[in-house]
Amino acid sequence: MPLLEVKNLTKHFPIRRGILGREVGVVRAVDGVSFTLEEGETLGLVGESGCGKTTLVRSLLFLEPPTTGEVRFRGEPVTVADAQRFRRHVQIVFQDPYQSLPPRMTIGEIVADPLKIHKVGDQKTIETRVRQLLAEVGLDPARSGDYPFQFSGGQRQRVGIARALAIEPSLVLLDESVSALDVSVQAQVLNLLKDIQERRRLSYIFISHDLSVVRYMSDRIAVMYLGRIVEHGPAEDVVEKPLHPYTRALLSAVPSLRRRTATRARLRGEPPSPANPPSGCAFHTRCPLARPECAERRPELIEWLPGRQAACHFALEGTAENRRD
Amino acid sequence: MLREFGEYLRTRPFALAGVIGVVAITLIAIFAPWVAPHDPLAQDLMASFKPPAWQADGTWKYPLGTDLLGRDILSRLIYGARYSLLISVGSVLLGTAIGFITGLLAGYFGRWTDTILMRLGDIQLAFPFVLFAIAILAVSQERTWWQLVLVLGGSSWIIYARVVRSRVLTEREKDYALAARALGASRWRVLFRYILPNVWQPIPLIGMLNLGFFVIVESLLSFLGLGLTPPTPSWGTILADGRQVMMVSGWVAVFPGVAILLTVLSISLAADGLADFFDPKLTHGNFRRVPLPPAERADQDPADGAPLLRVRDLTTIFPTRKGTIRALNGVSFDLEKGSVLGVVGESGSGKSTLGLSIIQLLDAPGRVAGGEIRFDGKDLARLSNRELTAIRGKRIGMIFQDPSSSLNPVLTVGYQLKETLRRHRSLPPHQAHEAARQALSAVGIADPDRVLRAYPFQLSGGMNQRVMIALAMVSEPELLILDEPTSALDVTTQAQLLDELDGLRQRHKMSMIFITHDIALISSFADDILVMYAGHVCEIGPRDQVIDQPRHPYTRALLDAVERVAVTETSRLAAIPGDPPDLTRLPPGCPFANRCPQVMPICHQVKPRRVAVGPNHEAACHLIDSPPSAPSQYGTTAVEAGRAAPASSVVANDNRSSRGNSSLVETAEDARGTNSISSTDRGRGESNEG
């Protein structure tokens, strides 16, 4: 049985105008997303800002309950009513290490608070647990009385990880958890996350706009565009032989030392507004392979190769000439 | 904290006077029975309207004279301080308590809670205060201090409520509040444990200022006959007594007036001082840049033949209460016309300070403490502020990481761009519009008309950054400094923006300094790369040299860290362990020593010199053995430069540590005291692989 099953999840935000708050439209931030996640597995979610990946995460945590769709945890459906129970098993690490920690609590208090909220043990056991957790994420337990501002960005993100691990969740959502860090520090934190996953058999949903980081972390990758998954498959295949032209564009944008003379396939323009998505395939306005029918018919996410899905009418066409190296 | 405040007061005489005044008045009020010479209610009808002691007919028995009933004014003032302060402090406490709670609830729960509470506040503000005061005070026969507290405190809560509410609105949207909810914290826990500690800060200061105001309002109420019921003394009631005899016995009214004046003044001064202490930005706000004194050695570079920008031994410091931050420690480099220098380093390496030092826009208290910044032959560090304005923004432009904070949020992009165009090129309006459209097209904006009409918040981060670049390009600068211009953007937008920048520099023959933490990002873009660490230059050289043959272990570590597409799931990413050193306490040796995988004993003791390792390629590391004939070409003495050090000569040189003179031995002792020496032995005798 998979750890997490998400079926056809949508999150729509109404657009209201005027003094009466008349609903004049809807922003389809997440528009029918389905996936499963096994125990101990990492699913990478990639996409540009505004593709709905952050909204998806917040819906999964029921911080903003989904509009429609189903979330099953270990086979049991999760509802708004028992979201609190669900949160004992699912935790999140945010992007900005400067905003995600309360500035006037010591890091010891920050890590201890989830234990207090869920009433895990007495004062003494909590103190021991906090010291263990800080040591586990590579921080000096003797500094548990220090405040977040006394730590570097990478160290703060470790505090955020310790806080998420405190109540021993089985799933951790990593929402751009290393994007705000220096590249050199990103590596430290990513390695730490992998070590923890191995030790605790955690599942991750790893969200980023940078495919190179996602590839390192994930078993499978789902690429999102305008609220939908456009490609989904094993991490290596998606990065090495992408099926969707959008995945290829994302890959070519990753800065690399070795490709410094090669010309890159640039993605023009910006993602369209999810309040007013293009007809047919949402990517056709920026797609280098777009043909007239792309504007008319929306491609479904279907399996083109074993275990590999893509939402593109011409998924197998672009692969040959665009194969990397 | 208290000692820091004491230190701070020494430099601020006005704040000190205010604090002394407040403390003195409080002490007098508390110890009134011991301080006052008489009972404030004791009447001495024989001594009615005695003038103060120094006037004719005055007596030292009543130093400040007496009133109609022969009561001692001084004693009444001293006891009056009790009641005046009691009423003011009580009112402030009541007002803050109500305001704080309503503000928290309105801000956090929003919707109808917010609507009801805030509309109540509006009614409160619109309701005439005097009517409210009469309604409560005039009807009671015996007006006591707590009734006044009720009136004053009850009518001032909305001020605090508004401030707290707006702060809660900001804080509750921050990730830490969201994280607390995700942890399963109840709403009350999120509000009181997480949000409350971050919203109360301005309240004590507003309270202090209100305190002074209430001292005055109390006297005003007494004046209207709504103060404390006689004979209880408060400054207001004494003042009211004195009003009737103003013409004949002025002192009765003058002394309480003076007491009120001094109290309110003390409170205001103390409050100002406190505000500045807790927010040092306020005091540094009017900091003015002071140019460096002219160099002793008049080293006149001929402008032709010299590079566009020549930086030598640039040193920038930030003196703070906790010690001096040494942000830049002798940075030297050249930048030729039309070429791009990539500056790479981690957070805190001083790379942003370098950009700000060059354009002379350091935030207070930072300042350039030494060195030269020769731009087109002129030393920017020594130019007057007026001379600088002719260069800054015109010949040198700068782009920051966060475009939305660099653009004015209440003006359209078109307005801002056209204003700049008109200032720089004095164009008539219709031509300015066309020029603005072209400027946006030039940075790759496909629909300039829509962008011109938009406000910055309506545009994406990438679009705003394009607008910033268009703005900087208006004056066609010779040098553009870009500080992490793409770090806040998606990789796709980043790639687009780099293309635009590349096009711009080729079209305009513009020089650029591109500051970033990602060496891969500038590997396709920069001509030269400068690697910074803890305010030092580790390595500088042509792009291909630095990337393909890095000579400093830190450069190598940075390069390894970005090579992750090649990393498979089974292997681990190369990370640099540890953190950069504290810039207020830099170690005597190499700043990278405590994180370096190839550290040697000498690294903890002696700072490595910068030596040439290839054509225009230099590095500062003890692993590189430098023949004495190839010192840095950026040194102060011009020696033949650019000679390549043969690779075979690159061996670890331990002998240097034994070369030590007495001062070197001292620094070695220091190093032992401050650095962990455990790793030193590991490096001994280990040769490097270059």
Side-chain angles (χ1 to χ4, degrees):
Chain A
M1 184 197 302
L3 181 74
L4 185 76
E5 277 175 278
V6 175
K7 274 190 203 144
N8 221 354
L9 187 93
T10 60
K11 177 69 193 178
H12 293 176
F13 296 100
I15 309 170
R16 295 183 192 279
R17 287 264 162 76
I19 43 169
L20 296 175
R22 196 162 45 91
E23 199 174 313
V24 293
V26 65
V27 176
R28 298 165 190 276
V30 177
D31 199 17
V33 165
S34 308
F35 61 87
T36 59
L37 186 69
E38 301 293 331
E39 202 110 19
E41 193 190 26
T42 302
L43 174 71
L45 266 179
V46 206
E48 293 168 282
S49 352
C51 76
K53 49 196 198 303
T54 294
T55 310
L56 175 61
V57 165
R58 290 183 183 184
S59 302
L60 282 180
L61 273 170
F62 285 78
L63 289 173
E64 279 159 12
T67 312
T68 58
E70 192 181 25
V71 178
R72 280 173 177 270
F73 186 78
R74 294 210 168 103
E76 281 180 43
V78 185
T79 60
V80 182
D82 53 18
Q84 187 71 2
R85 200 159 46 83
F86 178 55
R87 284 181 191 148
R88 277 221 58 169
H89 305 286
V90 185
Q91 277 305 307
I92 180 164
V93 178
F94 288 94
Q95 169 173 10
D96 185 345
Y98 294 85
Q99 277 214 6
S100 60
L101 300 180
R104 282 163 224 273
M105 277 163 82
T106 66
I107 64 157
E109 288 168 349
I110 292 170
V111 177
D113 214 49
L115 298 168
K116 288 178 184 159
I117 291 168
H118 293 279
K119 300 193 175 61
V120 183
D122 57 8
Q123 188 63 33
K124 203 151 197 182
T125 42
I126 287 179
E127 271 171 36
T128 325
R129 282 291 294 140
V130 168
R131 274 200 300 278
Q132 285 168 353
L133 283 161
L134 289 178
E136 184 174 0
V137 297
L139 291 169
D140 180 2
R143 292 190 66 187
S144 67
D146 287 355
Y147 288 89
F149 74 87
Q150 292 165 294
F151 294 87
S152 67
Q155 289 173 325
R156 288 181 206 209
Q157 211 55 316
R158 288 166 192 266
V159 176
I161 294 168
R163 169 175 65 183
L165 295 178
I167 48 172
E168 300 185 5
S170 27
L171 169 62
V172 177
L173 310 177
L174 303 163
D175 186 3
E176 299 269 12
S177 301
V178 298
S179 308
L181 305 176
D182 284 345
V183 205
S184 53
V185 183
Q186 287 184 10
Q188 289 179 11
V189 176
L190 292 174
N191 285 337
L192 172 73
L193 287 169
K194 277 210 145 182
D195 290 344
I196 292 170
Q197 178 170 41
E198 238 162 69
R199 257 198 314 270
R200 298 183 168 224
R201 259 189 78 70
L202 276 177
S203 302
Y204 286 145
I205 294 181
F206 187 92
I207 294 141
S208 177
H209 65 267
D210 185 343
L211 254 174
S212 67
V213 185
V214 175
R215 149 89 198 267
Y216 173 68
M217 287 300 291
S218 314
D219 301 303
R220 282 182 296 127
I221 293 179
V223 181
M224 277 186 83
Y225 190 76
L226 227 59
R228 292 169 162 268
I229 293 179
V230 296
E231 174 157 8
H232 179 211
E236 201 182 322
D237 292 344
V238 170
V239 172
E240 298 297 328
K241 285 164 267 173
L243 291 177
H244 200 284
Y246 179 61
T247 316
R248 282 196 287 277
L250 278 182
L251 269 169
S252 77
V254 175
S256 161
L257 290 171
R258 289 179 299 160
R259 239 181 319 131
R260 58 183 191 264
T261 45
T263 48
R264 310 179 206 180
R266 284 285 181 271
L267 203 54
R268 307 304 311 185
E270 301 191 307
S273 159
N276 186 18
S279 62
C281 172
F283 187 58
H284 85 263
T285 52
R286 302 167 81 195
C287 182
L289 305 177
R291 297 178 199 176
E293 64 176 296
C294 296
E296 288 155 19
R297 202 156 51 82
R298 184 160 76 189
E300 295 301 320
L301 186 67
I302 50 173
E303 190 154 339
W304 291 86
L305 296 168
R308 303 201 52 197
Q309 300 162 300
C312 176
H313 296 307
F314 312 102
L316 295 177
E317 280 186 25
T319 48
E321 71 265 28
N322 276 292
R323 191 164 295 172
R324 285 162 50 79
D325 64 38
Chain B
M1 180 78 167
L2 213 61
R3 213 175 61 202
E4 253 181 59
F5 188 58
E7 291 283 314
Y8 162 80
L9 280 182
R10 260 193 230 171
T11 60
R12 305 262 310 193
F14 283 109
L16 181 65
V19 170
I20 290 176
V22 170
V23 170
I25 292 160
T26 313
L27 287 178
I28 288 174
I30 293 171
F31 295 106
W34 290 273
V35 185
H38 301 277
D39 182 336
L41 306 181
Q43 302 179 1
D44 180 357
L45 292 173
M46 301 304 294
S48 175
F49 287 129
K50 275 275 176 211
W54 55 87
Q55 286 187 12
D57 202 24
T59 159
W60 281 106
K61 192 181 171 198
Y62 303 113
L64 299 183
T66 60
D67 62 7
L68 170 72
L69 300 173
R71 294 175 299 193
D72 179 33
I73 302 273
L74 178 64
S75 304
R76 282 183 71 73
L77 282 180
I78 290 171
Y79 274 88
R82 273 192 156 184
Y83 286 100
S84 287
L85 287 189
L86 185 66
I87 290 164
S88 314
V89 173
S91 309
V92 168
L93 290 180
L94 183 69
T96 46
I98 303 175
F100 206 86
I101 292 166
T102 47
L104 276 180
L105 297 179
Y108 189 65
F109 291 103
R111 295 170 190 248
W112 59 265
T113 321
D114 187 34
T115 313
I116 291 175
L117 290 174
M118 287 301 113
R119 292 304 81 81
L120 269 176
D122 291 344
I123 293 168
Q124 169 79 70
L125 281 179
F127 198 79
F129 165 74
V130 175
L131 210 61
F132 181 60
I134 290 172
I136 292 196
L137 297 172
V139 293
S140 61
Q141 295 296 309
E142 192 78 2
R143 288 182 298 274
T144 52
W145 64 270
W146 59 263
Q147 283 173 319
L148 278 144
V149 166
L150 218 60
V151 169
L152 294 177
S155 59
S156 63
W157 62 275
I158 182 66
I159 305 166
Y160 307 100
R162 286 237 163 113
V163 174
V164 171
R165 172 178 172 271
S166 73
R167 285 180 69 97
V168 171
L169 283 178
T170 324
E171 294 297 318
R172 74 164 190 189
E173 295 304 322
K174 290 201 177 154
D175 282 348
Y176 73 82
L178 211 59
R181 278 177 60 207
L183 286 168
S186 66
R187 294 165 80 136
W188 295 105
R189 192 178 185 93
V190 175
L191 181 56
F192 286 105
R193 183 113 175 83
Y194 285 82
I195 292 179
L196 188 144
N198 299 302
V199 297
W200 63 267
Q201 288 78 9
I203 297 305
L205 288 169
I206 304 175
M208 276 287 267
L209 292 171
N210 244 341
L211 193 64
F213 176 66
F214 284 151
V215 172
I216 293 174
V217 175
E218 186 271 329
S219 67
L220 206 74
L221 284 176
S222 303
F223 199 79
L224 294 172
L226 297 170
L228 291 175
T229 311
T232 322
S234 79
W235 292 342
T237 50
I238 305 170
L239 193 66
D241 287 347
R243 175 181 57 136
Q244 286 128 13
V245 295
M246 198 67 195
M247 289 304 144
V248 279
S249 313
W251 63 86
V252 185
V254 166
F255 291 119
V258 171
I260 291 170
L261 176 84
L262 289 178
T263 309
V264 176
L265 194 64
S266 300
I267 292 173
S268 294
L269 289 175
D272 267 359
L274 277 175
D276 291 358
F277 177 70
F278 285 112
D279 191 356
K281 271 188 229 147
L282 291 175
T283 36
H284 288 302
N286 50 9
F287 175 89
R288 277 180 67 87
R289 168 189 170 270
V290 180
L292 281 180
E296 287 171 23
R297 193 169 44 86
D299 178 15
Q300 285 306 327
D301 257 326
D304 46 282
L308 179 71
L309 182 71
R310 161 168 288 184
V311 174
R312 285 294 176 276
D313 214 23
L314 180 60
T315 305
T316 297
I317 57 169
F318 288 80
T320 68
R321 280 193 207 134
K322 294 193 176 83
T324 298
I325 299 170
R326 310 204 163 272
L328 294 181
N329 302 284
V331 173
S332 305
F333 65 88
D334 287 342
L335 179 65
E336 298 293 340
K337 193 165 170 46
S339 75
V340 175
L341 175 73
V343 176
V344 191
E346 293 171 283
S347 327
S349 64
K351 55 190 196 304
S352 296
T353 308
L354 177 61
L356 293 170
S357 298
I358 291 169
I359 202 168
Q360 296 281 297
L361 275 177
L362 287 164
D363 275 337
R367 61 186 175 87
V368 172
E372 284 183 9
I373 310 162
R374 283 203 180 274
F375 174 75
D376 197 17
K378 289 187 275 289
D379 188 349
L380 300 180
R382 291 176 172 80
L383 286 186
S384 71
N385 289 331
R386 179 185 299 202
E387 288 169 308
L388 257 181
T389 42
I391 292 180
R392 202 193 275 147
K394 298 192 177 71
R395 300 184 62 192
I396 306 180
M398 185 149 185
I399 306 280
F400 297 95
Q401 175 171 349
D402 183 5
S404 53
S405 63
S406 308
L407 287 166
N408 189 330
V410 297
L411 299 175
T412 62
V413 165
Y415 185 89
Q416 298 183 55
L417 194 52
K418 281 185 251 177
E419 261 309 300
T420 316
L421 276 164
R422 254 178 263 160
R423 257 205 324 274
H424 281 276
R425 299 198 198 146
S426 37
L427 294 176
H430 63 282
Q431 281 179 22
H433 184 79
E434 191 47 39
R437 289 193 64 222
Q438 282 169 8
L440 291 183
S441 303
V443 291
I445 293 177
D447 47 353
D449 288 314
R450 178 183 71 92
V451 175
L452 281 176
R453 280 194 306 272
Y455 289 91
F457 75 89
Q458 295 171 316
L459 300 172
S460 68
M463 208 50 101
N464 276 326
Q465 197 61 291
R466 285 167 203 267
V467 171
M468 280 311 298
I469 294 170
L471 273 168
M473 290 304 297
V474 163
S475 58
E476 300 191 356
E478 292 147 76
L479 170 63
L480 191 60
I481 302 172
L482 303 121
D483 186 1
E484 301 264 13
T486 62
S487 302
L489 309 175
D490 280 327
V491 276
T492 44
T493 318
Q494 169 173 291
Q496 293 174 8
L497 211 61
L498 280 180
D499 281 356
E500 307 299 349
L501 284 171
D502 207 28
L504 280 178
R505 83 134 153 170
Q506 276 168 18
R507 285 201 295 278
H508 295 269
K509 297 274 173 290
M510 182 172 51
S511 304
M512 288 187 194
I513 296 178
F514 195 108
I515 299 166
T516 177
H517 66 96
D518 187 349
I519 197 167
L521 182 63
I522 49 159
S523 65
S524 60
F525 187 60
D527 300 304
D528 293 294
I529 291 179
L530 185 158
V531 181
M532 278 194 85
Y533 188 80
H536 295 74
V537 176
C538 294
E539 183 159 0
I540 181 172
R543 177 230 351 232
D544 291 338
Q545 294 275 314
V546 172
I547 288 174
D548 296 331
Q549 295 166 309
R551 299 300 294 276
H552 197 287
Y554 182 61
T555 314
R556 239 171 277 146
L558 282 181
L559 285 167
D560 289 345
V562 297
E563 268 306 307
R564 55 189 171 205
V565 179
V567 174
T568 60
E569 309 84 71
T570 46
S571 61
R572 289 170 63 82
L573 292 178
I576 309 174
D579 285 293
D582 181 350
L583 291 174
T584 58
R585 281 170 294 164
L586 280 173
C590 171
F592 188 56
N594 64 341
R595 298 171 76 190
C596 183
Q598 293 164 282
V599 68
M600 304 178 294
I602 188 178
C603 302
H604 290 297
Q605 295 149 12
V606 184
K607 202 172 268 193
R609 290 181 309 142
R610 231 165 96 176
V611 292
V613 293
N616 296 319
H617 186 188
E618 299 190 356
C621 178
H622 288 304
L623 289 167
I624 304 158
D625 182 42
S626 65
S629 57
S632 163
Q633 62 169 307
Y634 305 102
T636 37
T637 49
V639 188
E640 161 203 15
R643 187 188 293 189
S648 58
S649 76
V650 182
V651 287
N653 188 349
D654 269 2
N655 299 339
R656 238 182 270 181
S657 54
S658 61
R659 210 196 282 162
N661 51 30
S662 62
S663 75
L664 196 98
V665 174
E666 266 173 41
T667 46
E669 292 293 324
D670 266 350
R672 211 150 278 143
T674 49
N675 291 311
S676 82
I677 208 84
S678 60
S679 54
T680 358
D681 286 337
R682 188 155 46 88
R684 184 174 290 275
E686 194 182 275
S687 67
N688 79 320
E689 74 282 87

